[in-house]
mmCIF file of all heavy atoms in Angstrom:
data_model
loop_
_atom_site.group_PDB
_atom_site.id
_atom_site.type_symbol
_atom_site.label_atom_id
_atom_site.label_comp_id
_atom_site.label_asym_id
_atom_site.label_seq_id
_atom_site.Cartn_x
_atom_site.Cartn_y
_atom_site.Cartn_z
ATOM 1 N N HIS A 1045 112.770 107.051 102.074
ATOM 2 C CA HIS A 1045 112.702 105.754 101.395
ATOM 3 C C HIS A 1045 113.915 105.562 100.495
ATOM 4 O O HIS A 1045 114.350 106.492 99.837
ATOM 5 C CB HIS A 1045 111.457 105.662 100.487
ATOM 6 C CG HIS A 1045 110.179 105.491 101.201
ATOM 7 N ND1 HIS A 1045 109.678 104.268 101.576
ATOM 8 C CD2 HIS A 1045 109.276 106.400 101.620
ATOM 9 C CE1 HIS A 1045 108.525 104.437 102.183
ATOM 10 N NE2 HIS A 1045 108.255 105.716 102.229
ATOM 11 N N SER A 1046 114.423 104.337 100.456
ATOM 12 C CA SER A 1046 115.290 103.894 99.365
ATOM 13 C C SER A 1046 114.679 102.590 98.878
ATOM 14 O O SER A 1046 114.107 101.833 99.660
ATOM 15 C CB SER A 1046 116.736 103.707 99.822
ATOM 16 O OG SER A 1046 116.835 102.651 100.749
ATOM 17 N N PHE A 1047 114.766 102.323 97.572
ATOM 18 C CA PHE A 1047 113.963 101.246 97.011
ATOM 19 C C PHE A 1047 114.661 100.649 95.799
ATOM 20 O O PHE A 1047 114.942 101.355 94.827
ATOM 21 C CB PHE A 1047 112.604 101.842 96.614
ATOM 22 C CG PHE A 1047 111.538 100.844 96.302
ATOM 23 C CD1 PHE A 1047 110.915 100.127 97.306
ATOM 24 C CD2 PHE A 1047 111.136 100.639 94.996
ATOM 25 C CE1 PHE A 1047 109.905 99.221 97.019
ATOM 26 C CE2 PHE A 1047 110.127 99.737 94.692
ATOM 27 C CZ PHE A 1047 109.517 99.022 95.710
ATOM 28 N N ASP A 1048 114.943 99.352 95.848
ATOM 29 C CA ASP A 1048 115.550 98.612 94.742
ATOM 30 C C ASP A 1048 114.796 97.290 94.621
ATOM 31 O O ASP A 1048 115.184 96.283 95.212
ATOM 32 C CB ASP A 1048 117.032 98.391 95.028
ATOM 33 C CG ASP A 1048 117.759 97.659 93.907
ATOM 34 O OD1 ASP A 1048 117.198 97.530 92.796
ATOM 35 O OD2 ASP A 1048 118.894 97.201 94.153
ATOM 36 N N PHE A 1049 113.690 97.323 93.880
ATOM 37 C CA PHE A 1049 112.776 96.182 93.800
ATOM 38 C C PHE A 1049 113.250 95.201 92.740
ATOM 39 O O PHE A 1049 112.941 95.319 91.553
ATOM 40 C CB PHE A 1049 111.349 96.657 93.506
ATOM 41 C CG PHE A 1049 110.330 95.553 93.578
ATOM 42 C CD1 PHE A 1049 109.884 95.092 94.803
ATOM 43 C CD2 PHE A 1049 109.828 94.980 92.433
ATOM 44 C CE1 PHE A 1049 108.945 94.072 94.880
ATOM 45 C CE2 PHE A 1049 108.887 93.960 92.485
ATOM 46 C CZ PHE A 1049 108.451 93.507 93.715
ATOM 47 N N ARG A 1050 114.039 94.240 93.163
ATOM 48 C CA ARG A 1050 114.527 93.137 92.343
ATOM 49 C C ARG A 1050 115.027 92.065 93.302
ATOM 50 O O ARG A 1050 115.273 92.352 94.486
ATOM 51 C CB ARG A 1050 115.656 93.579 91.414
ATOM 52 C CG ARG A 1050 116.884 94.073 92.180
ATOM 53 C CD ARG A 1050 117.998 94.540 91.266
ATOM 54 N NE ARG A 1050 119.052 95.134 92.057
ATOM 55 C CZ ARG A 1050 120.023 94.449 92.675
ATOM 56 N NH1 ARG A 1050 120.086 93.140 92.582
ATOM 57 N NH2 ARG A 1050 120.936 95.079 93.386
ATOM 58 N N VAL A 1051 115.153 90.834 92.822
ATOM 59 C CA VAL A 1051 115.703 89.778 93.679
ATOM 60 C C VAL A 1051 117.115 90.212 94.093
ATOM 61 O O VAL A 1051 117.926 90.587 93.248
ATOM 62 C CB VAL A 1051 115.713 88.416 92.949
ATOM 63 C CG1 VAL A 1051 116.449 87.373 93.787
ATOM 64 C CG2 VAL A 1051 114.280 87.965 92.670
ATOM 65 N N GLY A 1052 117.363 90.221 95.388
ATOM 66 C CA GLY A 1052 118.631 90.704 95.938
ATOM 67 C C GLY A 1052 118.625 92.185 96.241
ATOM 68 O O GLY A 1052 119.549 92.691 96.869
ATOM 69 N N GLY A 1053 117.579 92.892 95.816
ATOM 70 C CA GLY A 1053 117.477 94.325 96.063
ATOM 71 C C GLY A 1053 117.065 94.616 97.495
ATOM 72 O O GLY A 1053 116.580 93.746 98.222
ATOM 73 N N ARG A 1054 117.249 95.840 97.874
ATOM 74 C CA ARG A 1054 116.964 96.270 99.247
ATOM 75 C C ARG A 1054 116.003 97.451 99.261
ATOM 76 O O ARG A 1054 115.978 98.260 98.339
ATOM 77 C CB ARG A 1054 118.255 96.674 99.952
ATOM 78 C CG ARG A 1054 119.201 95.503 100.122
ATOM 79 C CD ARG A 1054 120.507 95.938 100.794
ATOM 80 N NE ARG A 1054 121.370 94.798 100.969
ATOM 81 C CZ ARG A 1054 121.431 94.048 102.062
ATOM 82 N NH1 ARG A 1054 120.660 94.328 103.099
ATOM 83 N NH2 ARG A 1054 122.250 93.021 102.133
ATOM 84 N N GLU A 1055 115.256 97.521 100.350
ATOM 85 C CA GLU A 1055 114.362 98.649 100.599
ATOM 86 C C GLU A 1055 114.559 99.103 102.029
ATOM 87 O O GLU A 1055 114.678 98.288 102.946
ATOM 88 C CB GLU A 1055 112.905 98.230 100.392
ATOM 89 C CG GLU A 1055 111.923 99.341 100.692
ATOM 90 C CD GLU A 1055 110.477 98.931 100.506
ATOM 91 O OE1 GLU A 1055 110.202 97.759 100.180
ATOM 92 O OE2 GLU A 1055 109.603 99.793 100.715
ATOM 93 N N THR A 1056 114.578 100.417 102.228
ATOM 94 C CA THR A 1056 114.640 100.990 103.564
ATOM 95 C C THR A 1056 113.587 102.076 103.660
ATOM 96 O O THR A 1056 113.409 102.866 102.732
ATOM 97 C CB THR A 1056 116.033 101.605 103.850
ATOM 98 O OG1 THR A 1056 117.018 100.590 103.756
ATOM 99 C CG2 THR A 1056 116.089 102.226 105.242
ATOM 100 N N SER A 1057 112.873 102.086 104.777
ATOM 101 C CA SER A 1057 111.924 103.146 105.084
ATOM 102 C C SER A 1057 112.198 103.578 106.519
ATOM 103 O O SER A 1057 112.280 102.739 107.419
ATOM 104 C CB SER A 1057 110.488 102.641 104.932
ATOM 105 O OG SER A 1057 109.576 103.667 105.227
ATOM 106 N N ARG A 1058 112.343 104.885 106.704
ATOM 107 C CA ARG A 1058 112.703 105.404 108.024
ATOM 108 C C ARG A 1058 111.842 106.620 108.323
ATOM 109 O O ARG A 1058 111.712 107.515 107.492
ATOM 110 C CB ARG A 1058 114.189 105.786 107.995
ATOM 111 C CG ARG A 1058 114.731 106.328 109.279
ATOM 112 C CD ARG A 1058 116.246 106.606 109.184
ATOM 113 N NE ARG A 1058 116.972 105.347 109.041
ATOM 114 C CZ ARG A 1058 117.674 104.995 107.960
ATOM 115 N NH1 ARG A 1058 117.762 105.782 106.929
ATOM 116 N NH2 ARG A 1058 118.301 103.842 107.912
ATOM 117 N N GLY A 1059 111.261 106.642 109.521
ATOM 118 C CA GLY A 1059 110.452 107.779 109.927
ATOM 119 C C GLY A 1059 110.031 107.643 111.374
ATOM 120 O O GLY A 1059 110.345 106.657 112.039
ATOM 121 N N GLY A 1060 109.322 108.623 111.851
ATOM 122 C CA GLY A 1060 108.838 108.597 113.227
ATOM 123 C C GLY A 1060 108.241 109.939 113.585
ATOM 124 O O GLY A 1060 108.284 110.884 112.794
ATOM 125 N N PRO A 1061 107.694 110.018 114.781
ATOM 126 C CA PRO A 1061 107.091 111.287 115.206
ATOM 127 C C PRO A 1061 108.169 112.364 115.342
ATOM 128 O O PRO A 1061 109.310 112.054 115.707
ATOM 129 C CB PRO A 1061 106.460 110.946 116.558
ATOM 130 C CG PRO A 1061 107.179 109.734 117.035
ATOM 131 C CD PRO A 1061 107.635 108.989 115.820
ATOM 132 N N PRO A 1062 107.834 113.618 115.037
ATOM 133 C CA PRO A 1062 108.823 114.688 115.163
ATOM 134 C C PRO A 1062 109.458 114.697 116.556
ATOM 135 O O PRO A 1062 108.762 114.704 117.566
ATOM 136 C CB PRO A 1062 108.010 115.965 114.913
ATOM 137 C CG PRO A 1062 106.840 115.505 114.103
ATOM 138 C CD PRO A 1062 106.540 114.106 114.586
ATOM 139 N N GLY A 1063 110.783 114.618 116.603
ATOM 140 C CA GLY A 1063 111.514 114.627 117.864
ATOM 141 C C GLY A 1063 111.463 113.322 118.633
ATOM 142 O O GLY A 1063 111.996 113.235 119.731
ATOM 143 N N GLY A 1064 110.816 112.283 118.058
ATOM 144 C CA GLY A 1064 110.657 111.012 118.765
ATOM 145 C C GLY A 1064 111.558 109.917 118.221
ATOM 146 O O GLY A 1064 112.512 110.171 117.486
ATOM 147 N N VAL A 1065 111.221 108.706 118.590
ATOM 148 C CA VAL A 1065 111.973 107.522 118.194
ATOM 149 C C VAL A 1065 111.861 107.322 116.684
ATOM 150 O O VAL A 1065 110.780 107.442 116.109
ATOM 151 C CB VAL A 1065 111.438 106.276 118.942
ATOM 152 C CG1 VAL A 1065 112.107 105.007 118.451
ATOM 153 C CG2 VAL A 1065 111.630 106.434 120.441
ATOM 154 N N VAL A 1066 112.976 106.989 116.044
ATOM 155 C CA VAL A 1066 112.992 106.719 114.606
ATOM 156 C C VAL A 1066 112.728 105.228 114.384
ATOM 157 O O VAL A 1066 113.386 104.372 114.973
ATOM 158 C CB VAL A 1066 114.347 107.118 113.983
ATOM 159 C CG1 VAL A 1066 114.406 106.735 112.514
ATOM 160 C CG2 VAL A 1066 114.581 108.616 114.164
ATOM 161 N N HIS A 1067 111.725 104.927 113.553
ATOM 162 C CA HIS A 1067 111.354 103.558 113.189
ATOM 163 C C HIS A 1067 111.980 103.266 111.831
ATOM 164 O O HIS A 1067 111.743 104.012 110.874
ATOM 165 C CB HIS A 1067 109.835 103.420 113.084
ATOM 166 C CG HIS A 1067 109.122 103.713 114.364
ATOM 167 N ND1 HIS A 1067 108.375 102.768 115.018
ATOM 168 C CD2 HIS A 1067 109.040 104.844 115.120
ATOM 169 C CE1 HIS A 1067 107.864 103.294 116.110
ATOM 170 N NE2 HIS A 1067 108.249 104.561 116.197
ATOM 171 N N THR A 1068 112.739 102.171 111.722
ATOM 172 C CA THR A 1068 113.414 101.830 110.471
ATOM 173 C C THR A 1068 113.056 100.416 110.045
ATOM 174 O O THR A 1068 113.136 99.477 110.840
ATOM 175 C CB THR A 1068 114.937 101.956 110.611
ATOM 176 O OG1 THR A 1068 115.263 103.270 111.060
ATOM 177 C CG2 THR A 1068 115.634 101.698 109.284
ATOM 178 N N PHE A 1069 112.672 100.283 108.778
ATOM 179 C CA PHE A 1069 112.350 99.017 108.113
ATOM 180 C C PHE A 1069 113.441 98.790 107.076
ATOM 181 O O PHE A 1069 113.658 99.631 106.207
ATOM 182 C CB PHE A 1069 110.974 99.174 107.453
ATOM 183 C CG PHE A 1069 110.605 98.141 106.425
ATOM 184 C CD1 PHE A 1069 109.951 96.980 106.787
ATOM 185 C CD2 PHE A 1069 110.872 98.356 105.073
ATOM 186 C CE1 PHE A 1069 109.569 96.047 105.823
ATOM 187 C CE2 PHE A 1069 110.489 97.435 104.102
ATOM 188 C CZ PHE A 1069 109.843 96.277 104.482
ATOM 189 N N ASN A 1070 114.182 97.655 107.180
ATOM 190 C CA ASN A 1070 115.231 97.282 106.230
ATOM 191 C C ASN A 1070 114.875 95.937 105.631
ATOM 192 O O ASN A 1070 114.824 94.940 106.353
ATOM 193 C CB ASN A 1070 116.587 97.136 106.927
ATOM 194 C CG ASN A 1070 117.126 98.441 107.445
ATOM 195 O OD1 ASN A 1070 117.272 99.386 106.702
ATOM 196 N ND2 ASN A 1070 117.405 98.487 108.735
ATOM 197 N N ALA A 1071 114.631 95.895 104.309
ATOM 198 C CA ALA A 1071 114.199 94.652 103.666
ATOM 199 C C ALA A 1071 115.175 94.223 102.579
ATOM 200 O O ALA A 1071 115.841 95.054 101.958
ATOM 201 C CB ALA A 1071 112.818 94.835 103.053
ATOM 202 N N ILE A 1072 115.203 92.910 102.337
ATOM 203 C CA ILE A 1072 115.913 92.306 101.209
ATOM 204 C C ILE A 1072 114.902 91.423 100.480
ATOM 205 O O ILE A 1072 114.242 90.583 101.098
ATOM 206 C CB ILE A 1072 117.101 91.444 101.671
ATOM 207 C CG1 ILE A 1072 118.100 92.283 102.462
ATOM 208 C CG2 ILE A 1072 117.772 90.778 100.465
ATOM 209 C CD1 ILE A 1072 119.200 91.463 103.121
ATOM 210 N N TYR A 1073 114.796 91.600 99.150
ATOM 211 C CA TYR A 1073 113.874 90.800 98.345
ATOM 212 C C TYR A 1073 114.548 89.494 97.922
ATOM 213 O O TYR A 1073 115.635 89.503 97.355
ATOM 214 C CB TYR A 1073 113.406 91.595 97.119
ATOM 215 C CG TYR A 1073 112.517 92.733 97.529
ATOM 216 C CD1 TYR A 1073 113.016 94.022 97.665
ATOM 217 C CD2 TYR A 1073 111.188 92.509 97.842
ATOM 218 C CE1 TYR A 1073 112.210 95.058 98.083
ATOM 219 C CE2 TYR A 1073 110.369 93.538 98.264
ATOM 220 C CZ TYR A 1073 110.887 94.804 98.386
ATOM 221 O OH TYR A 1073 110.084 95.828 98.813
ATOM 222 N N HIS A 1074 113.874 88.377 98.203
ATOM 223 C CA HIS A 1074 114.436 87.049 97.915
ATOM 224 C C HIS A 1074 113.781 86.376 96.718
ATOM 225 O O HIS A 1074 114.435 85.585 96.026
ATOM 226 C CB HIS A 1074 114.290 86.138 99.135
ATOM 227 C CG HIS A 1074 115.026 86.660 100.314
ATOM 228 N ND1 HIS A 1074 116.387 86.563 100.458
ATOM 229 C CD2 HIS A 1074 114.582 87.335 101.412
ATOM 230 C CE1 HIS A 1074 116.755 87.129 101.589
ATOM 231 N NE2 HIS A 1074 115.681 87.613 102.189
ATOM 232 N N ASP A 1075 112.509 86.642 96.471
ATOM 233 C CA ASP A 1075 111.791 85.998 95.375
ATOM 234 C C ASP A 1075 110.708 86.945 94.892
ATOM 235 O O ASP A 1075 109.954 87.499 95.700
ATOM 236 C CB ASP A 1075 111.158 84.679 95.866
ATOM 237 C CG ASP A 1075 110.491 83.912 94.736
ATOM 238 O OD1 ASP A 1075 111.207 83.469 93.822
ATOM 239 O OD2 ASP A 1075 109.262 83.753 94.780
ATOM 240 N N ILE A 1076 110.659 87.142 93.565
ATOM 241 C CA ILE A 1076 109.635 87.992 92.970
ATOM 242 C C ILE A 1076 109.116 87.286 91.725
ATOM 243 O O ILE A 1076 109.896 86.972 90.816
ATOM 244 C CB ILE A 1076 110.201 89.378 92.578
ATOM 245 C CG1 ILE A 1076 110.731 90.118 93.817
ATOM 246 C CG2 ILE A 1076 109.134 90.204 91.854
ATOM 247 C CD1 ILE A 1076 111.506 91.386 93.497
ATOM 248 N N VAL A 1077 107.822 87.010 91.714
ATOM 249 C CA VAL A 1077 107.148 86.485 90.526
ATOM 250 C C VAL A 1077 106.092 87.528 90.172
ATOM 251 O O VAL A 1077 105.118 87.707 90.922
ATOM 252 C CB VAL A 1077 106.511 85.098 90.786
ATOM 253 C CG1 VAL A 1077 105.777 84.617 89.540
ATOM 254 C CG2 VAL A 1077 107.560 84.094 91.243
ATOM 255 N N GLU A 1078 106.308 88.220 89.068
ATOM 256 C CA GLU A 1078 105.459 89.347 88.707
ATOM 257 C C GLU A 1078 103.979 88.983 88.763
ATOM 258 O O GLU A 1078 103.550 87.953 88.239
ATOM 259 C CB GLU A 1078 105.808 89.839 87.301
ATOM 260 C CG GLU A 1078 105.108 91.122 86.945
ATOM 261 C CD GLU A 1078 105.613 91.726 85.642
ATOM 262 O OE1 GLU A 1078 106.496 91.142 85.001
ATOM 263 O OE2 GLU A 1078 105.103 92.800 85.293
ATOM 264 N N ASN A 1079 103.221 89.827 89.461
ATOM 265 C CA ASN A 1079 101.766 89.724 89.605
ATOM 266 C C ASN A 1079 101.309 88.496 90.393
ATOM 267 O O ASN A 1079 100.107 88.228 90.459
ATOM 268 C CB ASN A 1079 101.061 89.748 88.242
ATOM 269 C CG ASN A 1079 101.372 91.009 87.468
ATOM 270 O OD1 ASN A 1079 101.584 92.061 88.048
ATOM 271 N ND2 ASN A 1079 101.423 90.899 86.157
ATOM 272 N N GLU A 1080 102.247 87.760 91.027
ATOM 273 C CA GLU A 1080 101.873 86.552 91.762
ATOM 274 C C GLU A 1080 102.456 86.455 93.171
ATOM 275 O O GLU A 1080 101.756 86.027 94.085
ATOM 276 C CB GLU A 1080 102.308 85.299 90.988
ATOM 277 C CG GLU A 1080 101.570 85.099 89.696
ATOM 278 C CD GLU A 1080 101.986 83.829 88.981
ATOM 279 O OE1 GLU A 1080 102.367 82.839 89.654
ATOM 280 O OE2 GLU A 1080 101.946 83.822 87.742
ATOM 281 N N ARG A 1081 103.748 86.815 93.341
ATOM 282 C CA ARG A 1081 104.371 86.518 94.640
ATOM 283 C C ARG A 1081 105.561 87.441 94.884
ATOM 284 O O ARG A 1081 106.304 87.767 93.978
ATOM 285 C CB ARG A 1081 104.846 85.069 94.639
ATOM 286 C CG ARG A 1081 105.467 84.611 95.929
ATOM 287 C CD ARG A 1081 105.837 83.136 95.902
ATOM 288 N NE ARG A 1081 106.898 82.860 94.948
ATOM 289 C CZ ARG A 1081 106.900 81.828 94.104
ATOM 290 N NH1 ARG A 1081 105.915 80.966 94.091
ATOM 291 N NH2 ARG A 1081 107.907 81.642 93.270
ATOM 292 N N ILE A 1082 105.723 87.813 96.164
ATOM 293 C CA ILE A 1082 106.885 88.560 96.631
ATOM 294 C C ILE A 1082 107.285 87.950 97.975
ATOM 295 O O ILE A 1082 106.440 87.803 98.858
ATOM 296 C CB ILE A 1082 106.575 90.061 96.834
ATOM 297 C CG1 ILE A 1082 106.041 90.697 95.546
ATOM 298 C CG2 ILE A 1082 107.810 90.800 97.340
ATOM 299 C CD1 ILE A 1082 105.448 92.088 95.743
ATOM 300 N N ILE A 1083 108.563 87.598 98.113
ATOM 301 C CA ILE A 1083 109.070 87.103 99.399
ATOM 302 C C ILE A 1083 110.262 87.969 99.784
ATOM 303 O O ILE A 1083 111.173 88.192 98.974
ATOM 304 C CB ILE A 1083 109.494 85.619 99.323
ATOM 305 C CG1 ILE A 1083 108.304 84.750 98.914
ATOM 306 C CG2 ILE A 1083 110.056 85.163 100.677
ATOM 307 C CD1 ILE A 1083 108.663 83.286 98.676
ATOM 308 N N TYR A 1084 110.233 88.466 101.007
ATOM 309 C CA TYR A 1084 111.325 89.310 101.494
ATOM 310 C C TYR A 1084 111.548 89.049 102.971
ATOM 311 O O TYR A 1084 110.666 88.570 103.689
ATOM 312 C CB TYR A 1084 111.026 90.792 101.236
ATOM 313 C CG TYR A 1084 109.750 91.307 101.865
ATOM 314 C CD1 TYR A 1084 109.763 91.959 103.087
ATOM 315 C CD2 TYR A 1084 108.519 91.154 101.221
ATOM 316 C CE1 TYR A 1084 108.589 92.430 103.660
ATOM 317 C CE2 TYR A 1084 107.353 91.628 101.775
ATOM 318 C CZ TYR A 1084 107.394 92.266 102.993
ATOM 319 O OH TYR A 1084 106.234 92.729 103.566
ATOM 320 N N SER A 1085 112.751 89.355 103.415
ATOM 321 C CA SER A 1085 113.035 89.347 104.849
ATOM 322 C C SER A 1085 113.290 90.797 105.254
ATOM 323 O O SER A 1085 113.676 91.622 104.427
ATOM 324 C CB SER A 1085 114.242 88.466 105.178
ATOM 325 O OG SER A 1085 115.396 88.924 104.511
ATOM 326 N N TYR A 1086 113.023 91.089 106.507
ATOM 327 C CA TYR A 1086 113.266 92.453 106.968
ATOM 328 C C TYR A 1086 113.510 92.480 108.469
ATOM 329 O O TYR A 1086 113.105 91.589 109.203
ATOM 330 C CB TYR A 1086 112.108 93.378 106.584
ATOM 331 C CG TYR A 1086 110.823 93.202 107.355
ATOM 332 C CD1 TYR A 1086 110.525 94.026 108.433
ATOM 333 C CD2 TYR A 1086 109.887 92.236 106.993
ATOM 334 C CE1 TYR A 1086 109.326 93.887 109.135
ATOM 335 C CE2 TYR A 1086 108.694 92.096 107.680
ATOM 336 C CZ TYR A 1086 108.424 92.928 108.758
ATOM 337 O OH TYR A 1086 107.251 92.791 109.454
ATOM 338 N N ASP A 1087 114.234 93.523 108.871
ATOM 339 C CA ASP A 1087 114.343 93.786 110.295
ATOM 340 C C ASP A 1087 113.813 95.180 110.571
ATOM 341 O O ASP A 1087 113.724 96.026 109.692
ATOM 342 C CB ASP A 1087 115.759 93.571 110.840
ATOM 343 C CG ASP A 1087 116.823 94.459 110.231
ATOM 344 O OD1 ASP A 1087 116.513 95.326 109.394
ATOM 345 O OD2 ASP A 1087 117.990 94.299 110.599
ATOM 346 N N MET A 1088 113.374 95.344 111.816
ATOM 347 C CA MET A 1088 112.838 96.619 112.275
ATOM 348 C C MET A 1088 113.721 97.117 113.414
ATOM 349 O O MET A 1088 114.181 96.332 114.247
ATOM 350 C CB MET A 1088 111.410 96.460 112.803
ATOM 351 C CG MET A 1088 110.377 96.101 111.752
ATOM 352 S SD MET A 1088 109.978 97.454 110.640
ATOM 353 C CE MET A 1088 109.310 98.669 111.765
ATOM 354 N N HIS A 1089 113.933 98.442 113.422
ATOM 355 C CA HIS A 1089 114.712 99.086 114.478
ATOM 356 C C HIS A 1089 113.898 100.233 115.084
ATOM 357 O O HIS A 1089 113.131 100.893 114.381
ATOM 358 C CB HIS A 1089 115.995 99.688 113.910
ATOM 359 C CG HIS A 1089 117.020 98.691 113.512
ATOM 360 N ND1 HIS A 1089 116.949 97.970 112.342
ATOM 361 C CD2 HIS A 1089 118.137 98.292 114.140
ATOM 362 C CE1 HIS A 1089 117.995 97.175 112.256
ATOM 363 N NE2 HIS A 1089 118.735 97.346 113.335
#
């Protein structure tokens, strides 16, 4: 994991079965209203 939770921040999560395909989640946070809303875009690989 890498994690930067702020507007404009990025998050990456990477993992998979041992010896298998690696699944990667790459996100960018666009809007954060504390305790109310989170909007982000992401791609999966």
